[in-house]
């Protein structure tokens, strides 16, 4: 960047890359919060050493090199983030128990706006969205960290093998070998590409499915909800390791352990390139509605195949810029008084 670049210019030049770097670090780390920390660390390191950046490579590839090193350092502890179904078998409803695991266990949701830079090319935008879907993210977390970096840089970001080799300070042959091994691992995971067939924007059929879902969920109509769920639909609720498969167990759970969610409100959100909702349930003490979960939905063949509820509202609602309370509309809540 040389001496001629004013402080403000450096700030602007670095800041332009924040969203795409956050997307890269999120794919590497599986955590929205760790990704933001990694990007902040990357930009601080870049800021401190910009005098030594002589423009031998582009600013963008230099930032990716720093970000990769930051992520590889963070991954050295060996923690792999996962979904409940990556860790245990499905629980039959009769044995459903809510046992939480620590935050760092779980693959985290992320708002689209934080990780998907706006691009003009619809094909590029589609690849970016598919590469942050929960199923693909969970598959990525199974790869060793350097293979993960190679796969993301080559397949998602479309870097040339020579560019990746330079970034990782290795040979083109070893980049190609790492990519082959990473692809083979993903190919073994049947669900890696099955993270919801969601058009962008949503097609009319998908839009109608979501409208029917909101009506069924807010009305807590289990018959209507059953009609919308795929026979192999999966429901997860991190931080609990419980997960359920099939409409009977999912609606059975909702009408027993989850019965307090009757009368809820849903607000649309975009998370992980998928449709989602902020779920507020009635607040008997404060009136109105209190935050309960960020739901991320996977859709396929006109049905809901995945119903993922992230329950740590203190973390997720501020991240998605969601209010921490909804007022009841006039006429609501009077029936129970």
């Amino acid at each position: 960047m040389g001496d001629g670049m004013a402080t403000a210019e450096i700030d602007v030049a670095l800041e332009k890359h924040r969203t795409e770097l956050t997307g890269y670090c999120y794919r590497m780390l599986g955590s929205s919060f760790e990704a933001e920390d990694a990007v902040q660390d990357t930009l601080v390191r870049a800021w401190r050493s910009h005098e030594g950046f002589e423009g031998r490579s582009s600013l963008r590839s230099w930032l990716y090199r720093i970000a990769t090193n930051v992520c590889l350092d963070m991954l050295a502890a060996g923690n792999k983030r996962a979904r409940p179904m990556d860790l245990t078998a499905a629980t039959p409803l009769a044995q459903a128990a809510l046992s939480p695991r620590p935050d760092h266990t779980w693959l985290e949701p992320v708002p689209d706006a934080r990780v998907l830079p706006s691009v003009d090319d619809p094909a590029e935008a589609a690849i970016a969205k598919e590469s942050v879907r929960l199923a693909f993210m969970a598959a990525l977390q199974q790869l060793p960290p350097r293979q993960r970096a190679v796969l993301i840089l080559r397949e998602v970001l479309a870097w040339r093998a020579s560019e990746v080799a330079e970034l990782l300070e290795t040979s083109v042959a070893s980049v190609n070998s790492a990519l082959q091994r990473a692809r083979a691992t993903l190919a073994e995971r049947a669900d890696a590409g099955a993270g919801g067939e969601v058009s962008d924007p949503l097609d009319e059929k998908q839009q109608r499915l979501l409208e029917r879902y909101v009506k069924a969920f807010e009305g807590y109509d289990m018959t209507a909800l059953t009609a919308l769920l795929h026979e192999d639909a999966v429901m997860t609720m991190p931080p609990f390791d419980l997960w359920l498969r099939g409409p009977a167990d999912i609606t059975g759970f909702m009408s027993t352990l989850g019965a307090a969610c009757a009368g809820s409100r849903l607000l649309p959100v975009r998370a992980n390139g998928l449709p989602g909702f902020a779920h507020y349930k009635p607040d008997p003490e404060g009136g109105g509605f209190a935050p309960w979960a960020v739901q991320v939905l996977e859709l396929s063949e006109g049905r809901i195949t995945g119903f993922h509820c992230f329950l740590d509202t203190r973390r997720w609602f501020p991240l998605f810029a969601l209010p921490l309370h909804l007022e009841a509309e006039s006429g609501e809540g009077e029936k129970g008084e």
Side-chain angles (χ1 to χ4, degrees):
M1 274 182 229
D3 301 326
M5 208 169 194
T7 303
E9 285 178 78
I10 299 161
D11 281 341
V12 169
L14 295 176
E15 198 56 40
K16 273 200 310 210
H17 297 277
R18 183 181 290 274
T19 306
E20 67 167 311
L21 287 172
T22 306
Y24 175 61
C25 293
Y26 174 66
R27 294 178 187 101
M28 283 292 288
L29 300 169
S31 160
S32 29
F33 291 103
E34 284 183 3
E36 303 223 332
D37 290 346
V39 171
Q40 200 52 40
D41 193 2
T42 298
L43 297 179
V44 167
R45 289 187 195 191
W47 167 260
R48 286 193 184 135
S49 55
H50 77 271
E51 295 295 331
F53 172 72
E54 291 152 15
R56 283 193 303 268
S57 60
S58 71
L59 173 63
R60 180 172 180 250
S61 57
W62 184 59
L63 288 171
Y64 270 91
R65 175 181 296 204
I66 299 170
T68 301
N69 289 330
V70 169
C71 289
L72 292 176
D73 286 347
M74 290 171 79
L75 290 165
N79 179 40
K80 284 183 187 172
R81 288 176 177 269
R83 302 167 302 169
M85 55 274 209
D86 301 319
L87 302 179
T88 61
T91 313
L93 180 60
Q95 294 161 25
L98 297 177
S99 41
R101 295 201 190 191
D103 287 342
H104 62 72
T105 310
W106 303 116
L107 178 63
E108 296 180 349
V110 73
D112 283 4
R114 289 192 180 234
V115 293
L116 298 174
S118 48
V119 290
D120 296 329
D121 178 358
E124 198 181 322
I127 288 170
K129 282 200 163 176
E130 282 163 22
S131 70
V132 292
R133 300 232 168 116
L134 295 171
F136 183 75
M137 286 290 301
L140 275 182
Q141 304 308 302
Q142 301 304 310
L143 300 174
R146 283 175 74 85
Q147 279 185 35
R148 202 180 304 176
V150 168
L151 185 97
I152 297 164
L153 291 164
R154 292 282 286 117
E155 304 267 286
V156 177
L157 300 173
W159 286 40
R160 292 194 295 273
S162 56
E163 294 172 319
V164 178
E166 190 181 335
L167 181 144
L168 291 171
E169 297 178 342
T170 186
S171 67
V172 168
S174 85
V175 165
N176 288 337
S177 158
L179 181 60
Q180 277 180 322
R181 290 199 304 277
R183 280 177 177 158
T185 303
L186 292 195
E188 284 163 18
R189 286 182 63 101
D191 66 342
E197 300 160 9
V198 183
S199 318
D200 183 33
L202 295 175
D203 66 32
E204 201 178 324
K205 191 176 173 189
Q206 292 165 347
Q207 199 66 56
R208 276 207 310 273
L209 174 61
L210 291 178
E211 285 164 12
R212 288 167 66 200
Y213 168 74
V214 170
K215 189 175 176 192
F217 193 95
E218 290 189 343
Y220 232 57
D221 180 342
M222 294 303 139
T223 307
L225 195 58
T226 297
L228 306 179
L229 292 171
H230 190 276
E231 61 188 21
D232 289 325
V234 162
M235 178 183 186
T236 67
M237 291 163 278
F240 301 116
D241 58 12
L242 168 77
W243 65 281
L244 301 161
R245 187 189 290 281
D249 277 4
I250 292 172
T251 56
F253 178 88
M254 288 172 65
S255 47
T256 54
L257 289 175
C261 292
S264 289
R265 287 285 166 270
L266 299 179
L267 300 182
V269 295
R270 296 290 304 184
N272 291 82
L274 293 163
F277 295 94
H279 170 193
Y280 293 82
K281 71 176 188 177
D283 180 358
E285 288 166 27
F289 299 89
W292 184 247
V294 169
Q295 302 179 354
V296 183
L297 301 188
E298 293 166 330
L299 315 179
S300 185
E301 296 168 4
R303 291 274 186 277
I304 294 165
T305 52
F307 174 48
H308 306 290
C309 307
F310 295 90
L311 300 180
D312 190 346
T313 52
R314 287 189 323 274
R315 302 175 83 216
W316 305 129
F317 276 56
L319 184 73
F320 281 82
L322 290 161
L324 290 172
H325 185 77
L326 288 187
E327 295 299 334
E329 293 166 27
S330 58
E332 274 184 340
E334 289 166 11
K335 293 190 287 284
E337 288 168 13

